[in-house]
């Protein structure tokens, strides 16, 4: 289940809370996806990412990476196929 | 209860003595400040959002920086650095907050910052276990506690929920904690700290330096903590040429230098191009986000604002600004870009009102902007500067800076041609300092006799509003210092006029840059040197005196710091000689080791953004670490506790050598026994008025009383003022004997910032009667709290017993009760007071216009005082974000209830 | 058979013409050289072992170097380099061969070398597939073939068994091939080559440089191929202070500079200490091996020798030498240590007989050494120097160096006080040059009128022995060059006397070092500058002329090299101006791009061993790449094919412009059609006499004949000599217009080494009648083979038509039939010949005293001539290890059969 | 079966051949161990070496190494236990 901080409409104010770009409401990063939510590109949604331990993994098998990094500006990002 | 014949009465009397001597006794009625204005609705909302936002740190930038760095081993170092910065910039996720007119910030939170392990990774390595433990435990705490604004204000004081608290200030999402540690690990043996540390150990006497640091005779290292800052930014090149124009200049430079001697110019130019490409991407990513928000937006006005923001950002990602709004946005972008390349405090925007005036005046003349719009923009600017956070090494952020970032904005001073530089835009800057009180940018009036009365009164109005700014700084005294200090590098009178305050209170040289708007040249001032306050940081003068008295040993820890000085201390002259000997020893080894660290810094983490901005780096093809700037005499030696030192010397001279009331041995015993008091650590309070006598206090009562009665600085007393002047004359002169990494003489810098708190905490009682663990005197020419009993003019006479232009600065903090300066008459009286000090040659004075009882209330009930601002020592900070030592000291300061 | 009306007679006549004009026609009787001496039994055995040994390369050093490098990312670059060198040195497996008196070598084979991928890894990357394929196939060949000494001598010309041939010269065990490729890969984007290449592309006009290299107008890059060498080593510091003494000096240096400006001194000193620790381990590992061998040894004398070797090595691993043997061993160790830090050719030991004389004389006086022992040691030294192999980039080792390493040892010259420096030890050095003929160290007599006759006659005796050495070099002319070139750096007459030849024939500055033995000061000479022959390498003058004639296009490939010169070439002056234009263009871009490469070199691969040895690096605390040496004006511009150029200009001037026999168009056609001959590539022979007319040769017969008949340099003909002088005066002057990386003027260097072969190979026919693909004239003032028809004195007059002291050198190669100089009278006549040239101001002359028919035999039957030595152009090499182009050219040289 | 170039008494002259330090005879690196032969420290005899492909492996799991490198001067060398 994805949470608000996985959403492209999530605007973080600080590490505790954010604002929904659609509703303009205050929201928490841990809130669950609403029906309008859309995933933002993050390493954990990228086919080139492999998880290794909690909050750590590898990018393209060799490079340190972490699942929650936003990868919207990463040239190598590729959505995992939905399943 | 009583022991050794001491009565409870005695005890109470003694307690009262302490209160009388140690600082301020609050009066009856809590009085608020006079002037209260409200910001515009837009800025008000933004400030409310700010108040709700916690300091948040993230790994995006350091992750990409490190990833790129690791891929580029073998690259020319400055290119490797440029590519890594580029990778950092271009991967920052854009965040645009509701109602913003100025976009962009350090990273992807409102109060954003991030660690720079390439400077120092040791903290993370050392904290690894603790951080994992907290990550585990934080989730157990209820998540709702995080919304409580309270003690600590925007600081994340403890780990909670999915947030880890780092150093009691910065919040980090638990998801980013493992990668933070992994990235930090990669910098082991490669960070500026580690490499510098490896080689500083080769300085003869290095072990003495270690002892000096352990004893907190010196507060912190210079090279890897805050390698930049305490300087004035220069926004000229982007304002004049735009980013693409600078890239073209660099490409021409490359073609001119490739293959010729001094080849490093080639890499510098190439590095600037690379870095700017990263900055361009960063801006364009924000533009894209603005367009995205516009696409979501239903409300037309807001939609238009987003679209306009996108267009603006797209324009200035390549071109020079078209108008004032563009120029302000551009200025802000490059200010942040500099902050993103290094751990920086005290990056001053400088004389922004003069830099932007040509753009603003043209817009006014063209009817494109009015007063209301200007006010709104300037208030937005205040919010933006206040959002800046600095993630530096921990002791530095807390112990020295009190979380402040010292983005000093100066108004006033002189133009290139020697006329007054105060202008209408600066009036509005002062105005928004009142209407939108925020710590940043802090303001300083460069006081010159030529300044219009109206301008000075606007400054008074602002000071009276009580946010602690503007500070009042003597333009002529500073120019004299600047001319003296940079004359050998070619500084002339005309260019001396371009100076400004860099950081808290560091006089920094400037240059006049020819801004060409529509064919007309406007000479705008801008910073023209790298960091003017690196080198030997904060030496505790009272602690040095302590080691003199105890022949080289830190009696708190028992560790020998210096070899025996060999004096029997049978005369005052021997005490003074012993002090000079130890002080010189400390400066010698600290100057050398810090030079080594700065060499590591310039090799590993050379400046690209700031170098590009500073004249004449682009002209010379050299970065700041290669003396690319026009002026490079920028290493200083900082003191702390001047007045405590001088009062202590006066007491020793009087009581031991002149009047022979006591032997030195008696003083040694009294100091070790803290004059019969409990220590501040024992009482749990650093407040000067809260110290408690121990049961055997009467044993020391007389010596303590006579110590307190010894002449005190701040009363126009020649006995002690002569000692002060002797110290200053010697210190300011001896500083020139030490050479910076760049082979330039060093100079004296006399500001305490927040160091008088922690340094006092580790210093035993001092011969002036101050008790163990309590803070030192603040600033450098402030009286010790409560000891200036003859009014402000006597204080001014003492403070100016020496020539302030010998030093980069002096610092005088005063607390004035709001009632004293109330009304228009109060304003005039207040201005006369400041004038009197300036005319005597005082360099700087700043004020807390505050009722101490309000501070006491705020200490007890912080939630209600989230927005309360106070002046500490060269900076304004939210009361709730200050440490208790400093809060106690500010409360204790003498509060003038008449002028 | 005949076509287009050409008769067989015509054909034969034409063939004879070619033979007559193109070089030497052997006489009837093969005559051997006069003097034949044998080495001592010990040296003879060692030389036999050498003859049996193949060039062998190994991965030990590069593996450890790279492993350490990879571990130290983030370290200060020169420290990273020092640690990597240390790792390399301390892991070298010691190998001690039977009968050695001097131990140690580059690596763990007799003729050892190893790749240095940190300089350039591209070759390995490009050859990866090929190497794997050869590894697979080599095993299929019968293993016994490897013992055959033949064509190639000690070169491993093809892969066989478990050995891979690299570049037709170096053998590598198949077990080390994969790791070689892995290690090479790690240097991608980090090697000097790659980094330099990245940035040289930023030089405006870089594409023109690429075209220049493709057309072989320039032979090779300077920065990553042989960044050091062509210089004289200075052995003073280890001889005077020992390794521990130098370490102490550095530690004092560290204490003096740590924390002070110019901080890089700190890292240099620390780097030297680190490197020396590696060298110490390396020596002690050999000592341990010697003790191990002693433990195995049954034979008492040999056991004692091993023990003595171990003791000696242990002693000099820390201390200065005690005697001549120690000193020679120490000298050898540091010579090898320098060779192990970089790809180096031409690392000259310099005036070793003068450096070691104080040690030797003291031993003689103390009765510790006699003539026989001295001879034995000096012969061992010859073997050791001959064992040196250089694994540089492939084209360089083959095409330029012919596998030679140019360890030039000079004798003669003057002392510090201006008296003759020739001494008894130098007589013995010449003696062992005769008794133990080997290519290394090659010998040069610094001819001075003050030299004793006996000394000069010993030199003659040695030259007559036929190994090609000593070369004869004009001491006064060189001193004049040295004074001119280094005057602005403080060179004075006295110090000019300390010069010597660095490498093949590069005049290099020296200094007098005060060797203190038992309290007595001996002023010994030693090198005092870094590599004196880097910068613009080998420019093909005839190829430049070709592009002038074809307006900027390389007609061999059709590629445009230079933009059109815009001249119609209607006058000779336009031809000459066009030549100067193109030559200047080429020098301009090559100087810049090579500067960039050298900047990469000094950053990535700075010298530590050689820097430590060279005054005044230890004094200044700077390495050679930071101008640590006393003299730094060391970048030159090298020419190739001088005489071919000048003869061609003379022919054009005569035939087109003066006598108007032909149009330029006619020449263009003749050149494109190779005067009707097959090209050298077609005939498969580069021998000048072997060229074959094509069927349409008669079409060009007249123009060819008149081209051949045009005035030729070397005959004291003012027509052509004036052209020669004009070229030299212009070239030597224009070179000063270009600046090295170190901001010093460049200078002309005129030696061809082996480049006249491959450069000739890609050059069309030239207007002097030379045919396409054949070699150019050798040296720089040699006549074109066969064209000097008026005897040696006419040649000398031509060669000295310009002032040789304008240039770093000039080079004259002569071949003399052994019969001419036979006997004592022959010797005197020979000396008079040399004297005559020197007195005319000739800089250098060297001789092959050889019957050309013997060379022909050797070419046909190499197995029988394994030990045959010949002089090429500044170096002596085994005949069998020379490429065919050069063999052909040496055979063709004019052979003087009377003087 | 070990060959002469695995022996501590093998003195290599070049890549093709060597000399036996004991017998002083010319030998080939491919010759088999004689009865006096003793192994010289080489990576392939080290417990910290792991082979990966022909002529390549890892030292202490992480660092490139190759089996035939003489490790007599390697501080980390440790004989594999005989088996």
């Amino acid at each position: 289940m994805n949470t608000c901080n996985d959403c492209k409409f999530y605007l973080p104010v600080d590490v505790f809370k954010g604002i929904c770009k659609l509703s303009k409401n205050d929201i928490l990063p841990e809130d669950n996806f609403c029906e309008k939510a859309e995933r933002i590109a993050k390493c954990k949604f990228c086919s080139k990412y492999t998880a290794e331990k909690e909050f750590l993994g590898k990018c393209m098998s060799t490079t340190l990476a972490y699942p929650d990094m936003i990868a919207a500006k990463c040239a190598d990002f590729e959505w995992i196929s939905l399943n | 209860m009583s022991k050794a014949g001491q009565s409870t009465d005695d005890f109470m009397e003694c307690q009262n003595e302490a209160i009388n001597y140690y600082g301020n006794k609050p009066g009856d009625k809590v009085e608020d400040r006079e002037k209260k204005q409200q910001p515009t609705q837009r800025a008000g909302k933004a400030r409310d959002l700010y108040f709700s936002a916690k300091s948040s740190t993230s790994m995006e930038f350091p992750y990409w920086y490190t990833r790129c760095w690791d891929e580029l081993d073998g690259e020319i170092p400055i290119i490797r650095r440029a590519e890594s910065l580029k990778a950092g910039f271009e991967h920052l996720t854009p965040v645009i907050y509701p109602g913003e007119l100025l976009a962009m910030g350090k990273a992807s939170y409102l109060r954003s910052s991030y660690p720079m392990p390439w400077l120092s990774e040791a903290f993370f390595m050392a904290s690894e276990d603790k951080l994992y433990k907290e990550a585990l435990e934080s989730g157990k705490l209820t998540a709702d506690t995080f919304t409580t604004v309270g003690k600590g204000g925007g600081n994340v004081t403890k780990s909670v929920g999915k947030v880890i608290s780092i150093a009691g200030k910065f919040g980090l999402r638990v998801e980013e904690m493992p990668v933070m540690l992994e990235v930090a690990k990669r910098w082991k043996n490669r960070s500026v700290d580690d490499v510098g540390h490896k080689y500083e150990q080769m300085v003869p006497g290095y072990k003495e330096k270690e002892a000096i640091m352990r004893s907190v005779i010196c507060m912190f290292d210079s090279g890897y903590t805050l390698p930049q800052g305490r300087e004035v930014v220069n926004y000229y090149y982007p304002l004049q040429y735009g980013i693409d124009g600078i890239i073209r200049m660099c490409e021409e430079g490359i073609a001119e230098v490739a293959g010729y001697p001094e080849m490093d110019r080639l890499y510098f130019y190439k590095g600037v191009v690379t870095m700017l490409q990263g900055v361009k991407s960063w801006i364009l990513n924000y533009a894209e986000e603005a367009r995205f928000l516009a696409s979501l937006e239903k409300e037309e006005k807001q939609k238009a604002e987003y679209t306009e923001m996108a267009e603006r950002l797209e324009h200035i990602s390549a071109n020079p600004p078209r108008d004032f709004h563009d120029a302000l946005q551009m200025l802000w972008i490059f200010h942040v870009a500099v902050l993103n390349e290094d751990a920086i405090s005290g990056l001053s925007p400088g004389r922004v009102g003069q830099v932007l005036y040509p753009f603003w005046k043209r817009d006014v003349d063209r009817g494109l902007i009015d007063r209301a719009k200007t006010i709104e923009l300037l208030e937005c600017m205040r919010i933006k500067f206040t959002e800046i956070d600095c993630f530096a090494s921990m002791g530095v952020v807390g112990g020295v800076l009190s979380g402040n970032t010292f983005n000093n904005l100066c108004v006033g001073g002189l133009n290139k041609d020697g006329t007054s530089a105060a202008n209408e835009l600066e009036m509005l800057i002062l105005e928004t300092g009142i209407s939108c009180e925020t710590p940043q940018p802090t303001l300083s009036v460069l006081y010159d006799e030529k300044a219009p009365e109206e301008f000075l009164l606007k400054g008074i109005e602002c000071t009276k509003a009580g946010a602690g700014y503007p500070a009042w700084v003597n333009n002529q005294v500073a120019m004299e210092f600047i001319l003296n200090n940079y004359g050998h590098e070619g500084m002339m009178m005309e260019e001396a006029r371009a100076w400004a305050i860099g950081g808290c209170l560091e006089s920094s040289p400037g240059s006049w840059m020819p801004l060409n708007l529509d064919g007309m040249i406007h000479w705008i001032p801008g910073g023209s040197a790298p960091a003017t306050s690196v080198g030997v940081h904060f030496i505790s003068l009272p602690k040095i005196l302590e080691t003199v008295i105890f022949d080289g040993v830190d009696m708190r820890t028992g560790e020998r710091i210096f070899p025996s000085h060999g004096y029997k201390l049978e005369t005052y002259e021997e005490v003074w000689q012993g002090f000079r000997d130890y002080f010189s020893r400390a400066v010698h080894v600290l100057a050398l080791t810090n030079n080594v660290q700065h060499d590591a810094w310039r090799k590993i983490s050379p400046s690209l953004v700031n170098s590009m901005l500073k004249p004449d780096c682009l002209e010379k093809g050299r970065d700041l670490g290669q003396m690319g700037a026009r002026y490079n005499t920028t290493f200083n030696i900082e003191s702390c506790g001047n007045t405590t030192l001088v009062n202590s010397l006066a007491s020793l001279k009087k009581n031991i050598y002149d009047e022979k009331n006591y032997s030195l041995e008696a003083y040694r015993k009294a100091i070790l026994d803290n004059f019969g008091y409990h220590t501040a650590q024992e009482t749990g309070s650093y407040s000067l008025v809260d110290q408690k006598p121990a049961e055997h206090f009467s044993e020391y009562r007389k010596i303590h009383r006579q110590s307190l009665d010894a002449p005190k600085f701040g009363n126009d007393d020649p006995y002690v003022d002569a000692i002060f002047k002797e110290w200053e004359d010697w210190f300011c002169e001896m500083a020139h004997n030490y050479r910076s990494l760049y082979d330039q003489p060093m100079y004296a810098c006399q500001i305490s910032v927040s160091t008088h708190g922690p340094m006092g905490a580790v210093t035993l009682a001092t011969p002036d009667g101050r008790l163990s663990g309590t803070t030192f005197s603040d600033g450098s020419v402030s009286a010790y709290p409560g000891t200036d009993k003859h009014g402000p003019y006597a204080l001014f006479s003492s403070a100016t017993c020496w020539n302030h232009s010998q030093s980069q600065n002096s610092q005088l903090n005063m607390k004035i009760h709001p009632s004293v300066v109330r009304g228009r008459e109060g304003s005039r009286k207040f201005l006369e007071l400041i004038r009197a000090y300036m005319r005597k040659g005082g360099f700087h004075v700043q004020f807390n216009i505050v009722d101490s009882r309000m501070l006491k209330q705020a200490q007890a009930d912080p939630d209600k005082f989230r927005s309360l601002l106070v002046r500490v020592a060269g900076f304004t900070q939210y009361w709730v974000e200050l440490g208790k030592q400093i809060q106690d000291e500010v409360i204790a300061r003498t509060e003038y209830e008449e002028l």
Side-chain angles (χ1 to χ4, degrees), chain B residues 194-396:
Chain B
D194 288 2
V195 173
H197 182 63
K198 177 170 176 186
Y199 292 100
E200 70 170 338
Q201 295 178 55
M202 294 180 188
V203 171
Y206 171 75
K207 281 193 194 315
E208 196 165 313
K209 186 237 170 171
E210 286 272 271
I212 286 168
M213 302 309 284
R214 273 196 301 272
S215 71
V216 200
I217 281 175
C218 177
M219 186 84 191
F220 70 103
D221 283 327
S222 171
Y224 58 88
T225 50
L226 297 165
Q228 295 195 74
R230 286 82 65 214
E231 65 188 291
V232 180
V233 190
N234 198 314
Y235 307 103
Y236 170 72
Y237 295 91
L239 291 178
Q240 180 69 66
Y241 301 103
I243 292 175
D244 285 358
I246 300 171
I247 289 175
R248 275 194 299 277
M249 286 169 70
C250 290
E251 283 168 350
E252 285 165 22
I254 287 169
E256 267 171 39
V257 305
Y260 290 92
E262 296 189 64
M263 193 84 72
D264 285 348
R265 297 177 295 169
L266 171 64
Y267 314 119
F268 173 69
Y269 285 129
K270 179 68 184 161
V272 171
V273 170
T274 301
M275 173 277 291
L276 283 176
Q277 283 161 346
V279 170
K280 275 177 82 93
S281 299
W282 178 48
I283 300 171
L284 288 171
N285 288 343
Y286 267 84
E288 193 185 5
E289 174 71 4
R291 293 217 180 270
F292 175 62
L293 291 175
S295 77
L296 302 180
E297 187 61 51
K298 307 270 180 287
E299 207 272 297
E300 277 313 310
K301 190 160 167 293
Q302 182 59 57
K303 196 182 191 75
E305 270 185 19
Y306 283 137
T307 305
E308 197 190 326
M309 177 183 286
E311 280 166 1
R312 184 182 326 286
L313 292 172
E314 284 156 4
H315 175 81
I316 62 177
S317 75
N319 309 298
R322 299 156 298 185
D323 56 23
F324 177 69
H325 195 158
D326 278 7
L328 191 55
Q329 176 71 67
M330 179 81 113
L331 178 152
W332 171 245
I333 289 171
F334 275 92
H335 198 92
V336 178
V338 176
L339 290 170
N340 272 8
E341 79 165 354
D342 220 335
I344 296 184
S345 78
L347 189 74
S348 291
R351 294 157 71 169
V352 160
Q354 294 161 34
V355 171
L356 293 179
Y357 184 76
F359 293 96
W360 180 76
K361 188 64 172 42
R362 189 176 61 170
D363 282 6
V364 170
D365 293 347
R366 296 189 296 192
L368 294 178
I369 200 167
D370 59 13
R371 183 187 149 92
K373 179 73 186 167
T374 309
I375 293 279
E376 193 176 49
L377 276 170
L378 291 175
E379 287 183 352
C380 285
M381 176 186 83
R382 290 203 66 80
I383 305 292
K384 273 293 170 193
F385 271 98
T386 300
E387 287 171 5
I388 296 171
D389 254 4
C390 170
F391 193 108
S393 90
M394 300 308 129
V396 173

Side-chain angles (χ1 to χ4, degrees), chain B residues 69-70 73-77 79-80 83 188-190 195 198-200 202-204 254-256 258-264 266-267 270 588 591-593 595-597 599-600 602-604 739-744:
Chain B
W69 186 271
D70 282 344
D73 175 28
E75 193 35 288
I76 300 288
I79 301 292
R80 192 179 186 183
E83 292 282 0
K188 189 162 156 53
N189 294 327
R190 303 195 297 176
V195 173
K198 177 170 176 186
Y199 292 100
E200 70 170 338
M202 294 180 188
V203 171
I254 287 169
E256 267 171 39
Y260 290 92
E262 296 189 64
M263 193 84 72
D264 285 348
L266 171 64
Y267 314 119
K270 179 68 184 161
H588 175 76
L592 294 179
T593 53
N595 275 347
V596 175
Q597 291 174 1
D599 192 46
R602 68 173 175 168
K603 285 181 159 65
I604 295 166
R739 312 284 293 180
S740 75
L741 179 61
Y742 304 109
D743 208 9
Q744 305 297 325

Side-chain angles (χ1 to χ4, degrees), chain B residues 2 73 160 179 293 299 310 402 452 496 503 540 599 684 719 867 871 894:
Chain B
S2 80
D73 175 28
V160 58
V179 77
L293 291 175
E299 207 272 297
S402 288
S540 171
D599 192 46
Y719 189 90
S867 66
R871 192 73 175 175
T894 306

Side-chain angles (χ1 to χ4, degrees), chain B residues 481 505-507 532-533 636 747-749 806-810 843:
Chain B
F481 166 78
L505 197 47
E506 289 88 341
S507 303
T532 64
S533 178
N636 64 13
Y747 49 83
C749 171
Q806 294 169 277
S807 171
Q808 188 181 18
N809 42 33
S810 68
F843 172 75

Side-chain angles (χ1 to χ4, degrees), chain B residues 80-200:
Chain B
R80 192 179 186 183
R81 164 96 169 134
E83 292 282 0
S84 300
L85 286 171
K86 174 170 180 274
F89 277 115
E90 69 192 8
H91 287 94
L92 279 173
T93 301
V95 284
I96 297 172
Y97 293 99
E100 285 193 327
L101 290 180
L102 296 172
M104 304 179 66
K106 288 189 71 170
S108 308
Y109 293 111
L110 190 85
R111 260 187 104 163
S112 230
S113 65
Y114 49 82
M116 295 186 178
W118 44 95
L119 285 176
S120 180
E121 90 301 341
F123 170 79
F124 307 104
M125 310 292 286
S127 312
E128 180 170 357
D129 287 347
K130 183 171 166 289
L131 289 169
Y132 268 109
K133 195 159 158 270
E134 291 194 4
L136 223 65
E137 290 178 359
S138 61
K140 298 177 191 159
L141 299 171
T142 51
D144 60 348
T145 56
F146 72 77
T147 47
T148 315
V149 174
K151 216 164 179 172
N155 296 332
V156 178
T157 52
K158 57 186 175 194
S159 300
V160 58
K162 290 198 174 296
V163 174
I164 312 291
S165 163
I166 300 180
K169 171 157 180 63
F170 305 99
L172 178 77
R173 295 287 302 176
V174 71
E175 305 94 270
E176 295 201 309
M177 196 269 291
V179 77
M180 182 181 76
L181 294 172
E182 284 303 310
V183 165
K185 266 180 209 163
R186 287 169 188 239
W187 288 96
K188 189 162 156 53
N189 294 327
R190 303 195 297 176
S191 68
V192 174
D193 184 0
D194 288 2
V195 173
H197 182 63
K198 177 170 176 186
Y199 292 100
E200 70 170 338

